[in-house]
Amino acid sequence: MKTFPVSLRKTEDVLNLVKIVNGFDYDVDLKSGSVIIDAKSLMGAIYMTGRKKLELVVHSSECDNLVHELAEYLCA
């Protein structure tokens, strides 16, 4: 499992993130505080839009391709 800080500022960001993560077989979650949702769920991801401390939790150790595709949303 790997965790990355992520920023979703607008609805278009959410749509792109959900589309990308749905292309991978492993589970991916969005976490903000104690709230955790499935990142493959559009409704759940929209709920998380704009949260200040948002993390992407990838349930795979081999996620380099996903990280590359999501680079514009990952915080440094």
Side-chain angles (χ1 to χ4, degrees):
M1 179 168 66
K2 293 185 178 183
T3 303
F4 305 92
V6 65
S7 177
L8 301 173
R9 294 185 188 101
K10 47 191 177 171
T11 305
E12 184 179 328
D13 296 345
V14 176
L15 294 171
N16 289 334
L17 180 129
V18 171
K19 180 181 176 183
I20 291 168
V21 298
N22 271 296
F24 293 87
D25 292 335
Y26 41 80
D27 291 332
V28 182
D29 295 324
L30 284 170
K31 179 182 177 192
S32 180
S34 62
V35 178
I36 300 172
I37 61 97
D38 183 351
K40 294 181 179 184
S41 163
L42 181 57
M43 293 301 289
I46 288 172
Y47 173 75
M48 299 296 253
T49 304
R51 293 190 178 236
K52 294 187 190 261
K53 188 173 182 184
L54 188 59
E55 295 178 316
L56 189 75
V57 181
V58 181
H59 297 273
S60 173
S61 58
E62 309 241 348
C63 60
D64 292 340
N65 289 342
L66 174 64
V67 170
H68 176 73
E69 289 192 42
L70 293 176
E72 68 182 289
Y73 307 112
L74 302 180
C75 304

